[in-house]
Amino acid sequence: MLRKTRKSEPKARLNAQDWELAALEALAESGLAAVAVEPLARRLGVTKGSFYWHFPTREALIQAAIERWEKSDEDQVIAPAAAVADPRERLRELIRQVSRKRQSHAVFAALFRTLDQPLVGPLVERVSARRIAFLTEAFRHAGFDANTAANRARLAFSAYVGFVQLAQIGQPRMTHEEFEDYIRDFIATLIPR
């Protein structure tokens, strides 16, 4: 989803995308307060003037960065899963795709910590509603009745949000193999064969 910027490596010309990606990295690493012009300029190896060439304000950068994250979520997680024909396999693929997006999880967790911010609350609400709707529809297509599909969608999304929040405090500590087992168990619990 997001490529790492190289700290303090000078660039001949930056574009708005470079600033947005650096803002998302800072957001994922240290939260919304870390998305500040001077530290980002240092990270990118440029002066503040570069920032103002692309964005009038810090808020404009934040807006562009979180919209980039939202679109990336659509393009790299939802769209590939939606392309899977078998409804049960579509759900399994969605869970597998989501489980591999560490930086995206960190951004989402950081956004949850700042829901009171005017730029953040509506975005998180929109992304959450879209994810739950996608899950509900997928469970319906997988043969669950409307009520069960909605409940499983809420359960899956709640488990995801909880896991992302726990990861922010270093829990649960799992090896790669343990995490893969967790994902397999999660899929088997929600989408029985």
Side-chain angles (χ1 to χ4, degrees):
M1 174 180 120
L2 308 170
R3 71 173 195 264
K4 282 280 199 188
T5 57
R6 292 186 179 99
K7 295 178 183 175
S8 300
E9 182 179 297
K11 293 187 89 171
R13 284 186 191 250
L14 293 180
N15 58 35
Q17 176 181 332
D18 294 318
W19 282 95
E20 292 163 11
L21 293 172
L24 286 170
E25 286 176 12
L27 177 63
E29 292 166 4
S30 305
L32 193 60
V35 182
V37 178
E38 287 187 35
L40 289 176
R42 279 192 303 275
R43 176 186 287 245
L44 292 167
V46 297
T47 65
K48 290 190 313 185
S50 171
F51 169 81
Y52 292 108
W53 181 259
H54 300 290
F55 299 97
T57 64
R58 173 183 179 260
E59 289 71 26
L61 170 62
I62 292 169
Q63 182 73 45
I66 61 179
E67 286 175 358
R68 173 175 294 284
W69 171 80
E70 179 182 18
K71 176 145 180 32
S72 178
D73 180 64
E74 275 291 310
D75 294 346
Q76 295 181 10
V77 177
I78 302 292
V84 176
D86 178 80
R88 287 177 177 267
E89 191 52 40
R90 182 180 317 131
L91 282 162
R92 292 181 189 103
E93 182 58 23
L94 176 65
I95 293 166
R96 284 189 290 268
Q97 284 293 323
V98 167
S99 73
R100 296 181 181 118
K101 306 295 182 191
R102 285 190 184 143
Q103 187 171 19
S104 184
H105 303 323
V107 168
F108 203 39
L111 293 173
F112 262 100
R113 291 190 304 272
T114 56
L115 288 172
D116 59 336
Q117 299 297 312
L119 295 174
V120 175
L123 171 101
V124 171
E125 184 177 338
R126 185 172 62 243
V127 168
S128 298
R130 186 172 51 247
R131 288 176 175 187
I132 292 169
F134 181 85
L135 285 164
T136 301
E137 182 180 341
F139 278 113
R140 285 287 290 140
H141 288 156
F144 295 93
D145 65 71
N147 190 50
T148 302
N151 287 339
R152 284 186 186 248
R154 285 188 289 268
L155 178 62
F157 190 70
S158 297
Y160 165 72
V161 170
F163 193 87
V164 166
Q165 294 297 326
L166 284 172
Q168 293 303 299
I169 59 168
Q171 294 297 325
R173 289 184 171 84
M174 296 182 184
T175 65
H176 176 74
E177 292 77 22
E178 289 169 330
F179 181 73
E180 290 300 319
D181 285 344
Y182 167 77
I183 295 301
R184 277 191 294 279
D185 286 347
F186 184 75
I187 290 170
T189 300
L190 284 174
I191 314 146
R193 293 215 174 257

